Amino acid sequence: DVRLEESGGGLVQPGGSLTLSCAVSGFTITNYRMNWVRQAPGSGLEWISDIPSTGDYLSYADSVRGRFTISRDSAKNSLYLHMNSLRVEDTAVYYCASGRTLDYWGQGTLVTVSS
Amino acid sequence: DIQLTQSPSSLSSSVGDRVTITCRASQTIATNLCWYQQRPGKAPKLLIYSASNLQSGVPSRFSGSGSGTHFTLTISGLQPEDFATYYCRHTYSSPPTFGQGTKVEVK
């Protein structure tokens, strides 16, 4: 069975840093595009970053470019999102999702940016 | 960036109704469009990919159509578990944006 499990969310002050993890089982992440999508409280879905199967061209939404970095560890079959210079408006549930069509999703992890 | 506009933003329907949701793209995206369902407190779920292809395991009452800039998601015979929010998303270019969502509520 395919399973994606995010972790690493929590409360952080504005300007702080946090790293989210997404542990994957059931497929090899280096064979698929992997994504991060977020959802602010009471709002819609926002794609924020992806890494293709080749790992060579990383894409970011304008709202996070220069502050967030996507990466992966093939040995751990895990995806990561390194978040720096966090802002109040980054408060959201963060999901990892697989493939170009986002066919599998994790359950999400909540990041709260507040002083 | 390509903008996706869904209509309506919300609708009220009853079990058994036929429901249609529209997604319009700000420029042509061929058939590079997906539909997702999100129930409260849950992760989204892929329903339709490439505008009209039903994802494995999704009930056949869900169908998608369209190409270019105009797309529709139809639920034929609404079931109690279908009351949820639905999102379209394009995969034509980066960034692959979502529509703002359509909430299907109980009448």
Side-chain angles (χ1 to χ4, degrees):
Chain A
D1 283 357
V2 171
R3 183 176 172 86
L4 290 75
E5 186 167 2
E6 303 92 341
S7 60
L11 175 64
V12 60
Q13 292 189 334
S17 299
L18 207 58
T19 295
L20 305 182
S21 301
C22 173
V24 176
S25 58
F27 67 91
T28 301
I29 64 168
T30 53
N31 290 337
Y32 294 90
R33 179 178 300 270
M34 296 296 295
N35 308 261
W36 287 99
V37 175
R38 71 182 179 183
Q39 186 169 37
S43 296
L45 300 169
E46 180 188 16
W47 169 89
I48 56 173
S49 183
D50 67 34
I51 178 169
S53 58
T54 55
D56 59 355
Y57 187 78
L58 313 180
S59 298
Y60 299 94
D62 288 346
S63 58
V64 306
R65 186 176 292 112
R67 301 186 299 122
F68 290 11
T69 303
I70 190 171
S71 68
R72 67 188 184 186
D73 184 330
S74 57
K76 295 183 178 179
N77 210 38
S78 292
L79 180 73
Y80 302 97
L81 187 67
H82 311 275
M83 305 185 294
N84 296 321
S85 304
L86 282 161
R87 306 167 179 167
V88 170
E89 55 265 34
D90 294 319
T91 294
V93 174
Y94 286 72
Y95 297 99
C96 60
S98 64
R100 189 177 64 90
T101 57
L102 310 183
D103 43 1
Y104 292 103
W105 296 66
Q107 84 288 349
T109 187
L110 176 63
V111 173
T112 303
V113 185
S114 174
S115 54
Chain B
D1 296 359
I2 297 171
Q3 309 301 319
L4 297 180
T5 302
Q6 290 182 231
S7 60
S9 295
S10 65
L11 62 92
S12 298
S13 286
S14 301
V15 172
D17 285 354
R18 178 184 176 94
V19 168
T20 298
I21 299 168
T22 296
C23 178
R24 290 185 183 272
S26 59
Q27 64 187 75
T28 184
I29 57 172
T31 57
N32 294 286
L33 189 97
C34 299
W35 290 96
Y36 303 86
Q37 176 194 67
Q38 187 178 32
R39 297 185 176 120
K42 299 296 186 182
K45 172 187 173 183
L46 176 66
L47 299 176
I48 302 284
Y49 63 94
S50 299
S52 61
N53 291 280
L54 195 67
Q55 173 70 349
S56 176
V58 174
S60 58
R61 62 180 180 273
F62 291 93
S63 63
S65 66
S67 66
T69 62
H70 185 217
F71 303 86
T72 59
L73 173 70
T74 300
I75 310 172
S76 301
L78 199 64
Q79 296 300 300
E81 60 268 30
D82 301 337
F83 292 100
T85 300
Y86 294 84
Y87 296 91
C88 59
R89 173 182 180 260
H90 79 85
T91 57
Y92 184 79
S93 61
S94 190
T97 50
F98 287 92
Q100 81 280 14
T102 296
K103 188 173 184 178
V104 177
E105 300 175 298
V106 178
K107 182 181 284 185

mmCIF file of all heavy atoms in Angstrom, chain A residues 1 7 17-18 20 24 36 42 49 57 68 70 80 82-83 87 93 101 104-106 109 111-113:
data_model
loop_
_atom_site.group_PDB
_atom_site.id
_atom_site.type_symbol
_atom_site.label_atom_id
_atom_site.label_comp_id
_atom_site.label_asym_id
_atom_site.label_seq_id
_atom_site.Cartn_x
_atom_site.Cartn_y
_atom_site.Cartn_z
ATOM 1 N N ASP A 1 0.834 -1.194 0.000
ATOM 2 C CA ASP A 1 0.000 0.000 0.000
ATOM 3 C C ASP A 1 0.873 1.250 0.000
ATOM 4 O O ASP A 1 1.931 1.280 0.601
ATOM 5 C CB ASP A 1 -0.891 0.033 1.251
ATOM 6 C CG ASP A 1 -2.070 -0.905 1.133
ATOM 7 O OD1 ASP A 1 -2.215 -1.539 0.056
ATOM 8 O OD2 ASP A 1 -2.828 -1.007 2.106
ATOM 9 N N SER A 7 5.700 15.027 8.854
ATOM 10 C CA SER A 7 6.034 15.322 10.248
ATOM 11 C C SER A 7 6.863 16.595 10.279
ATOM 12 O O SER A 7 7.340 17.066 9.235
ATOM 13 C CB SER A 7 6.796 14.163 10.886
ATOM 14 O OG SER A 7 8.006 13.919 10.187
ATOM 15 N N SER A 17 12.803 29.155 11.484
ATOM 16 C CA SER A 17 12.998 28.098 10.489
ATOM 17 C C SER A 17 12.361 26.803 10.970
ATOM 18 O O SER A 17 12.191 26.587 12.178
ATOM 19 C CB SER A 17 14.489 27.866 10.240
ATOM 20 O OG SER A 17 15.110 29.029 9.743
ATOM 21 N N LEU A 18 12.047 25.961 10.012
ATOM 22 C CA LEU A 18 11.440 24.670 10.306
ATOM 23 C C LEU A 18 11.701 23.761 9.119
ATOM 24 O O LEU A 18 11.745 24.228 7.963
ATOM 25 C CB LEU A 18 9.940 24.836 10.515
ATOM 26 C CG LEU A 18 9.167 23.849 11.394
ATOM 27 C CD1 LEU A 18 9.744 23.810 12.811
ATOM 28 C CD2 LEU A 18 7.690 24.241 11.444
ATOM 29 N N LEU A 20 10.168 20.285 7.341
ATOM 30 C CA LEU A 20 9.125 19.259 7.286
ATOM 31 C C LEU A 20 9.667 18.032 6.576
ATOM 32 O O LEU A 20 10.493 18.138 5.660
ATOM 33 C CB LEU A 20 7.905 19.775 6.524
ATOM 34 C CG LEU A 20 7.288 21.086 7.014
ATOM 35 C CD1 LEU A 20 6.050 21.422 6.185
ATOM 36 C CD2 LEU A 20 6.967 21.031 8.478
ATOM 37 N N VAL A 24 7.803 8.143 2.847
ATOM 38 C CA VAL A 24 6.978 7.487 1.835
ATOM 39 C C VAL A 24 7.227 5.987 1.839
ATOM 40 O O VAL A 24 8.372 5.536 1.934
ATOM 41 C CB VAL A 24 7.295 8.051 0.431
ATOM 42 C CG1 VAL A 24 6.507 7.292 -0.650
ATOM 43 C CG2 VAL A 24 6.967 9.537 0.375
ATOM 44 N N TRP A 36 4.958 19.619 -2.609
ATOM 45 C CA TRP A 36 4.414 20.161 -1.371
ATOM 46 C C TRP A 36 3.266 21.103 -1.744
ATOM 47 O O TRP A 36 3.403 21.936 -2.637
ATOM 48 C CB TRP A 36 5.467 20.905 -0.577
ATOM 49 C CG TRP A 36 6.480 20.014 0.074
ATOM 50 C CD1 TRP A 36 7.735 19.729 -0.381
ATOM 51 C CD2 TRP A 36 6.316 19.289 1.304
ATOM 52 N NE1 TRP A 36 8.360 18.858 0.486
ATOM 53 C CE2 TRP A 36 7.515 18.579 1.523
ATOM 54 C CE3 TRP A 36 5.271 19.170 2.234
ATOM 55 C CZ2 TRP A 36 7.704 17.763 2.645
ATOM 56 C CZ3 TRP A 36 5.463 18.360 3.343
ATOM 57 C CH2 TRP A 36 6.664 17.668 3.539
ATOM 58 N N GLY A 42 -9.063 27.814 6.676
ATOM 59 C CA GLY A 42 -10.257 28.320 6.016
ATOM 60 C C GLY A 42 -10.071 28.720 4.572
ATOM 61 O O GLY A 42 -10.969 29.321 3.974
ATOM 62 N N SER A 49 5.779 23.770 -4.154
ATOM 63 C CA SER A 49 7.067 23.339 -4.664
ATOM 64 C C SER A 49 6.986 21.918 -5.202
ATOM 65 O O SER A 49 6.146 21.131 -4.758
ATOM 66 C CB SER A 49 8.129 23.397 -3.553
ATOM 67 O OG SER A 49 9.413 23.058 -4.037
ATOM 68 N N TYR A 57 15.545 19.879 -11.571
ATOM 69 C CA TYR A 57 14.980 21.209 -11.727
ATOM 70 C C TYR A 57 13.888 21.387 -10.679
ATOM 71 O O TYR A 57 12.798 20.833 -10.786
ATOM 72 C CB TYR A 57 14.413 21.405 -13.138
ATOM 73 C CG TYR A 57 13.975 22.833 -13.397
ATOM 74 C CD1 TYR A 57 14.903 23.823 -13.679
ATOM 75 C CD2 TYR A 57 12.634 23.188 -13.323
ATOM 76 C CE1 TYR A 57 14.507 25.135 -13.887
ATOM 77 C CE2 TYR A 57 12.226 24.492 -13.530
ATOM 78 C CZ TYR A 57 13.167 25.453 -13.807
ATOM 79 O OH TYR A 57 12.772 26.756 -14.011
ATOM 80 N N PHE A 68 12.076 28.858 0.925
ATOM 81 C CA PHE A 68 11.863 27.429 1.114
ATOM 82 C C PHE A 68 12.740 26.649 0.129
ATOM 83 O O PHE A 68 12.990 27.106 -0.995
ATOM 84 C CB PHE A 68 10.393 27.070 0.844
ATOM 85 C CG PHE A 68 9.406 27.582 1.869
ATOM 86 C CD1 PHE A 68 9.759 28.507 2.844
ATOM 87 C CD2 PHE A 68 8.100 27.122 1.848
ATOM 88 C CE1 PHE A 68 8.842 28.963 3.768
ATOM 89 C CE2 PHE A 68 7.167 27.574 2.763
ATOM 90 C CZ PHE A 68 7.545 28.491 3.720
ATOM 91 N N ILE A 70 13.115 22.564 -1.348
ATOM 92 C CA ILE A 70 12.657 21.176 -1.392
ATOM 93 C C ILE A 70 13.873 20.271 -1.615
ATOM 94 O O ILE A 70 14.818 20.641 -2.330
ATOM 95 C CB ILE A 70 11.607 20.974 -2.509
ATOM 96 C CG1 ILE A 70 10.937 19.606 -2.412
ATOM 97 C CG2 ILE A 70 12.219 21.201 -3.892
ATOM 98 C CD1 ILE A 70 9.742 19.444 -3.358
ATOM 99 N N TYR A 80 11.592 16.394 1.786
ATOM 100 C CA TYR A 80 11.747 17.408 2.825
ATOM 101 C C TYR A 80 11.364 18.786 2.281
ATOM 102 O O TYR A 80 11.424 19.049 1.074
ATOM 103 C CB TYR A 80 13.198 17.447 3.323
ATOM 104 C CG TYR A 80 13.673 16.127 3.861
ATOM 105 C CD1 TYR A 80 14.413 15.270 3.048
ATOM 106 C CD2 TYR A 80 13.362 15.720 5.154
ATOM 107 C CE1 TYR A 80 14.836 14.037 3.513
ATOM 108 C CE2 TYR A 80 13.782 14.484 5.622
ATOM 109 C CZ TYR A 80 14.513 13.648 4.801
ATOM 110 O OH TYR A 80 14.923 12.423 5.265
ATOM 111 N N HIS A 82 12.527 22.551 3.606
ATOM 112 C CA HIS A 82 13.273 23.393 4.532
ATOM 113 C C HIS A 82 12.714 24.810 4.405
ATOM 114 O O HIS A 82 12.771 25.403 3.324
ATOM 115 C CB HIS A 82 14.761 23.362 4.199
ATOM 116 C CG HIS A 82 15.310 21.975 4.016
ATOM 117 N ND1 HIS A 82 15.735 21.199 5.074
ATOM 118 C CD2 HIS A 82 15.488 21.226 2.896
ATOM 119 C CE1 HIS A 82 16.159 20.029 4.613
ATOM 120 N NE2 HIS A 82 16.025 20.012 3.297
ATOM 121 N N MET A 83 12.178 25.330 5.515
ATOM 122 C CA MET A 83 11.498 26.623 5.491
ATOM 123 C C MET A 83 12.256 27.624 6.356
ATOM 124 O O MET A 83 12.453 27.386 7.553
ATOM 125 C CB MET A 83 10.057 26.466 5.991
ATOM 126 C CG MET A 83 9.268 25.415 5.220
ATOM 127 S SD MET A 83 7.539 25.331 5.726
ATOM 128 C CE MET A 83 7.728 24.727 7.401
ATOM 129 N N ARG A 87 6.940 33.541 7.843
ATOM 130 C CA ARG A 87 6.040 34.679 8.030
ATOM 131 C C ARG A 87 4.709 34.185 8.603
ATOM 132 O O ARG A 87 4.370 33.014 8.462
ATOM 133 C CB ARG A 87 5.800 35.369 6.691
ATOM 134 C CG ARG A 87 7.062 35.791 5.956
ATOM 135 C CD ARG A 87 6.749 36.177 4.529
ATOM 136 N NE ARG A 87 7.959 36.605 3.797
ATOM 137 C CZ ARG A 87 8.012 36.766 2.479
ATOM 138 N NH1 ARG A 87 6.928 36.553 1.746
ATOM 139 N NH2 ARG A 87 9.144 37.155 1.913
ATOM 140 N N VAL A 93 -1.681 24.077 6.903
ATOM 141 C CA VAL A 93 -1.418 22.641 6.877
ATOM 142 C C VAL A 93 -0.608 22.369 5.609
ATOM 143 O O VAL A 93 -0.994 22.811 4.518
ATOM 144 C CB VAL A 93 -2.726 21.823 6.868
ATOM 145 C CG1 VAL A 93 -2.421 20.341 6.693
ATOM 146 C CG2 VAL A 93 -3.501 22.065 8.162
ATOM 147 N N THR A 101 0.041 14.537 -11.107
ATOM 148 C CA THR A 101 -1.382 14.746 -10.860
ATOM 149 C C THR A 101 -1.755 14.667 -9.387
ATOM 150 O O THR A 101 -2.931 14.673 -9.039
ATOM 151 C CB THR A 101 -2.212 13.720 -11.649
ATOM 152 O OG1 THR A 101 -1.797 12.399 -11.289
ATOM 153 C CG2 THR A 101 -2.039 13.914 -13.150
ATOM 154 N N TYR A 104 -1.424 10.669 -4.792
ATOM 155 C CA TYR A 104 -1.438 10.245 -3.394
ATOM 156 C C TYR A 104 -1.009 11.416 -2.517
ATOM 157 O O TYR A 104 -0.095 12.162 -2.873
ATOM 158 C CB TYR A 104 -0.491 9.061 -3.160
ATOM 159 C CG TYR A 104 -0.948 7.787 -3.823
ATOM 160 C CD1 TYR A 104 -0.349 7.352 -5.007
ATOM 161 C CD2 TYR A 104 -1.974 7.015 -3.279
ATOM 162 C CE1 TYR A 104 -0.755 6.178 -5.626
ATOM 163 C CE2 TYR A 104 -2.385 5.842 -3.891
ATOM 164 C CZ TYR A 104 -1.782 5.441 -5.060
ATOM 165 O OH TYR A 104 -2.187 4.284 -5.683
ATOM 166 N N TRP A 105 -1.662 11.540 -1.352
ATOM 167 C CA TRP A 105 -1.409 12.639 -0.416
ATOM 168 C C TRP A 105 -1.134 12.080 0.978
ATOM 169 O O TRP A 105 -1.670 11.035 1.368
ATOM 170 C CB TRP A 105 -2.626 13.540 -0.312
ATOM 171 C CG TRP A 105 -3.011 14.276 -1.558
ATOM 172 C CD1 TRP A 105 -3.467 13.732 -2.733
ATOM 173 C CD2 TRP A 105 -3.019 15.689 -1.742
ATOM 174 N NE1 TRP A 105 -3.743 14.735 -3.632
ATOM 175 C CE2 TRP A 105 -3.476 15.944 -3.052
ATOM 176 C CE3 TRP A 105 -2.686 16.784 -0.934
ATOM 177 C CZ2 TRP A 105 -3.606 17.243 -3.568
ATOM 178 C CZ3 TRP A 105 -2.820 18.072 -1.444
ATOM 179 C CH2 TRP A 105 -3.273 18.294 -2.747
ATOM 180 N N GLY A 106 -0.364 12.824 1.746
ATOM 181 C CA GLY A 106 -0.250 12.544 3.159
ATOM 182 C C GLY A 106 -1.406 13.176 3.911
ATOM 183 O O GLY A 106 -2.290 13.803 3.315
ATOM 184 N N THR A 109 0.617 18.236 7.932
ATOM 185 C CA THR A 109 1.194 18.653 9.201
ATOM 186 C C THR A 109 1.000 20.164 9.327
ATOM 187 O O THR A 109 1.203 20.911 8.368
ATOM 188 C CB THR A 109 2.683 18.251 9.302
ATOM 189 O OG1 THR A 109 3.169 18.527 10.624
ATOM 190 C CG2 THR A 109 3.557 18.969 8.296
ATOM 191 N N VAL A 111 1.688 23.891 10.430
ATOM 192 C CA VAL A 111 2.730 24.857 10.777
ATOM 193 C C VAL A 111 2.040 26.157 11.193
ATOM 194 O O VAL A 111 1.236 26.703 10.433
ATOM 195 C CB VAL A 111 3.671 25.112 9.585
ATOM 196 C CG1 VAL A 111 4.643 26.246 9.899
ATOM 197 C CG2 VAL A 111 4.419 23.839 9.210
ATOM 198 N N THR A 112 2.356 26.617 12.388
ATOM 199 C CA THR A 112 1.792 27.862 12.896
ATOM 200 C C THR A 112 2.930 28.846 13.137
ATOM 201 O O THR A 112 3.860 28.556 13.904
ATOM 202 C CB THR A 112 1.022 27.639 14.201
ATOM 203 O OG1 THR A 112 -0.007 26.674 13.987
ATOM 204 C CG2 THR A 112 0.394 28.942 14.687
ATOM 205 N N VAL A 113 2.872 29.978 12.460
ATOM 206 C CA VAL A 113 3.887 31.021 12.617
ATOM 207 C C VAL A 113 3.250 32.161 13.395
ATOM 208 O O VAL A 113 2.361 32.850 12.901
ATOM 209 C CB VAL A 113 4.409 31.507 11.251
ATOM 210 C CG1 VAL A 113 5.547 32.509 11.460
ATOM 211 C CG2 VAL A 113 4.869 30.331 10.407
#
